[in-house]
């Protein structure tokens, strides 16, 4: 097995790391006031980060999933909000359009999304259909040459700033999950409104909104895939999304560890740096081991996807483990900082708040365990 990144991946990591350094300016203010990083998202588009896995023919960067995971990790070390904006756009929107969209849909929607000119959002969750994706109450009634969409979606990342939305909705109630479809909806369509922004614990500069649909007329050609393909579309998309969230969690953990390590060498107690105390050394050693294990799980899931091999279980394993490592590592980083870790200036309290959501979205930790268990028991 090859554990060394090739030259292209190393160069990509350095480019992402350099860009991430620019994110640090204003990151505390963006977090405190929930300011969407519009200019940075634009820069990510110019650097190719907003279309990483899309073919160059559709204005993407033509990179692989491993490169994508590396970039998400580096960016999330500094600003997990920017990381999740990029992750949702790439994993949940562009992947589905490229894999299952028609040529006309790719020309009209994929190209501007992959180039970063437009931003995408994926709408699956509902007030009564979060982890249970089969219980879609948003409906899309077939009217011949168009569908009428009615319902509500919530917890939608990029919900307020997106231009193009992929909406999961029920067309044939009697068919249950086999009657679900996915539709491309544009901001500004009549009857489509965006609810207030959620006031969140973490990833605060990433905007999260509810979406409301009242007789939204969507052309027939905006349905992706055959009639009833929506549930399979969502499940396939979420598998890849879990790799993105694992990479985000990994970045949060690694960022907190870097800060804790540096602080432990500067802070002195009893006449010597706290890094020379065994209690701190044990914490740092455990953090390093768990972060490296999370990185290997995440990179393996990405590699499997790139090889065209099954990766659903591995993506769930990576997401589960990396998110728990992120939570544990950030708590320990705050502890190593002591009282300073509790104030915004030292960044670790923000990373701790950001870490929690990685255990929740793209399926909670309990859902990941179900996915893993079903795979190993089948």
């Amino acid at each position: 097995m090859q554990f060394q990144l090739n030259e292209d991946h190393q160069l990509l990591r350095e480019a992402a790391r350099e860009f991430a350094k620019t994110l640090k300016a204003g990151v505390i203010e963006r977090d405190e006031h929930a300011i969407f990083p519009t200019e940075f998202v634009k820069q990510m588009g110019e650097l190719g980060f907003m279309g990483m896995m899309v073919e160059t023919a559709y204005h993407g960067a033509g990179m692989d999933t491993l490169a994508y995971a590396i970039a998400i990790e580096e960016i999330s070390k500094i600003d997990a909000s920017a990381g999740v904006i990029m992750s949702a756009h790439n994993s949940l929107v562009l992947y589905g359009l490229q894999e299952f969209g028609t040529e006309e849909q790719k020309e009209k929607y994929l190209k501007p999304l992959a180039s970063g000119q437009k931003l995408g959002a994926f709408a699956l969750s509902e007030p009564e259909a979060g982890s249970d994706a089969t219980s879609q109450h948003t409906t899309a009634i077939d009217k011949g040459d168009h569908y009428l969409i009615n319902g509500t979606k919530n917890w939608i990342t990029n919900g307020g700033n997106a231009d193009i939305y992929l909406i999961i909705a029920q067309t044939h109630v009697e068919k249950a999950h086999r009657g679900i479809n996915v539709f491309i909806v544009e901001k500004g369509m009549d009857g489509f409104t965006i609810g207030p922004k959620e006031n969140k614990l973490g990833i605060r500069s990433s905007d999260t909104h509810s979406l409301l649909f009242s007789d939204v007329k969507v052309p027939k050609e905006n349905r992706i895939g055959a009639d009833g393909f929506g549930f399979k579309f969502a499940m396939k998309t979420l598998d890849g999304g879990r790799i993105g969230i694992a990479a985000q969690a990994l970045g949060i953990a690694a960022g907190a560890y870097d800060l804790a390590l540096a602080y432990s060498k500067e802070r002195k107690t009893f006449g010597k740096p706290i890094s020379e105390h065994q209690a701190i050394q044990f914490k740092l050693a455990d953090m390093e081991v768990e972060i490296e294990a999370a990185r290997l799980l995440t990179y393996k899931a990405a590699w499997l996807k790139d090889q065209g091999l099954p990766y659903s279980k591995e993506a769930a394993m990576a997401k589960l483990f990396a998110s728990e490592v992120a939570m544990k590592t950030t708590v320990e980083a705050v502890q190593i900082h002591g009282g300073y870790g509790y104030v915004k200036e030292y960044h670790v309290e923000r990373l701790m708040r950001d870490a929690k959501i990685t255990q929740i979205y793209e399926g909670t930790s309990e859902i990941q365990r179900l996915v893993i268990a079903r795979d190993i028991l089948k």
Side-chain angles (χ1 to χ4, degrees):
M1 297 180 68
Q2 177 59 259
F3 291 98
Q4 181 67 39
L5 296 179
N6 64 34
E7 184 178 355
D8 288 341
H9 287 141
Q10 292 181 41
L11 290 172
L12 181 277
R13 183 174 60 185
E14 289 304 315
R17 190 171 290 171
E18 286 302 310
F19 170 72
K21 290 177 182 178
T22 69
L23 288 168
K24 198 163 188 177
V27 68
I28 294 174
E29 181 184 6
R30 293 195 302 274
D31 169 77
E32 186 169 358
H33 299 290
I35 301 170
F36 188 83
T38 303
E39 286 304 311
F40 287 115
V41 173
K42 180 181 178 182
Q43 290 174 33
M44 286 196 290
E46 293 168 352
L47 291 168
F49 293 141
M50 299 302 281
M52 292 196 69
M53 298 174 288
V54 175
E55 298 170 12
T56 55
Y58 298 106
H59 300 174
M63 298 183 188
D64 59 14
T65 313
L66 180 55
Y68 165 67
I70 291 167
I72 290 283
E73 176 187 351
E74 293 300 328
I75 288 169
S76 298
K77 284 180 181 179
I78 304 297
D79 188 351
S81 292
V84 75
I85 292 167
M86 174 184 162
S87 176
H89 178 84
N90 276 278
S91 292
L92 302 182
V93 180
L94 272 61
Y95 166 78
L97 273 172
Q98 178 165 255
E99 288 296 309
F100 307 111
T102 64
E103 194 60 37
E104 291 74 17
Q105 290 168 347
K106 292 177 184 180
E107 284 290 328
K108 184 175 182 180
Y109 297 110
L110 184 58
K111 281 186 174 180
L113 287 166
S115 65
Q117 296 175 24
K118 292 188 177 181
L119 184 65
F122 177 75
L124 172 65
S125 294
E126 297 183 1
E128 297 180 18
S131 298
D132 182 9
T134 63
S135 300
Q136 295 293 308
H137 292 276
T138 297
T139 59
I141 305 304
D142 191 340
K143 294 293 185 180
D145 65 343
H146 67 275
Y147 289 88
L148 280 184
I149 297 182
N150 285 278
T152 301
K153 296 290 182 180
N154 63 351
W155 314 120
I156 307 306
T157 300
N158 299 341
N161 284 276
D163 305 287
I164 297 166
Y165 301 76
L166 301 188
I167 309 299
I168 307 296
Q170 183 69 257
T171 300
H172 310 285
V173 177
E174 71 282 0
K175 294 182 181 179
H177 70 279
R178 292 184 177 85
I180 293 173
N181 281 306
V182 56
F183 303 92
I184 303 168
V185 175
E186 299 178 40
K187 179 181 281 184
M189 283 184 168
D190 289 342
F192 174 28
T193 57
I194 298 168
K197 181 164 62 175
E198 301 290 350
N199 188 10
K200 301 175 296 186
L201 171 72
I203 55 165
R204 289 176 51 78
S205 69
S206 159
D207 68 316
T208 304
H209 293 257
S210 293
L211 308 178
L212 298 91
F213 304 89
S214 178
D215 285 340
V216 179
K217 187 177 179 180
V218 178
K220 206 67 170 280
E221 58 266 26
N222 280 31
R223 188 188 73 202
I224 298 177
D227 191 16
F229 180 65
F231 181 75
K232 288 185 178 180
F233 177 96
M235 294 303 99
K236 290 177 180 291
T237 299
L238 289 176
D239 278 343
R242 287 173 182 136
I243 297 174
I245 299 308
Q248 182 194 2
L250 171 61
I252 292 170
Y257 169 76
D258 289 346
L259 291 169
L261 179 63
Y263 181 81
S264 74
K265 295 177 180 179
E266 299 167 0
R267 173 67 170 168
K268 292 184 178 181
T269 60
F270 305 105
K272 60 183 179 181
I274 63 172
S275 61
E276 295 183 20
H277 296 300
Q278 193 175 69
I280 300 299
Q281 291 176 353
F282 283 2
K283 288 181 185 293
L284 292 170
D286 287 344
M287 292 159 77
E288 172 73 4
V289 169
E290 292 177 351
I291 289 169
E292 186 62 18
R295 182 174 290 114
L296 290 172
L297 279 171
T298 302
Y299 287 11
K300 180 184 178 183
W303 180 85
L304 287 170
K305 182 172 181 286
D306 288 334
Q307 303 308 307
L309 297 170
Y311 65 95
S312 180
K313 179 186 71 172
E314 287 77 10
M317 290 169 64
K319 195 268 186 187
L320 170 64
F321 188 75
S323 65
E324 295 191 344
V325 169
M327 198 70 246
K328 181 179 178 181
T329 301
T330 54
V331 168
E332 291 286 43
V334 170
Q335 192 72 17
I336 289 171
H337 279 75
Y340 291 106
Y342 211 64
V343 296
K344 295 181 182 298
E345 179 184 353
Y346 286 77
H347 295 282
V348 286
E349 65 83 31
R350 171 175 52 82
L351 290 170
M352 184 177 72
R353 289 186 285 105
D354 289 346
K356 186 59 192 175
I357 192 60
T358 66
Q359 294 181 305
I360 298 172
Y361 56 13
E362 303 302 324
T364 63
S365 295
E366 292 75 18
I367 294 297
Q368 306 313 312
R369 287 183 168 90
L370 283 174
V371 171
I372 296 164
R374 287 172 181 171
D375 188 280
I376 62 180
L377 290 171
K378 69 183 180 182

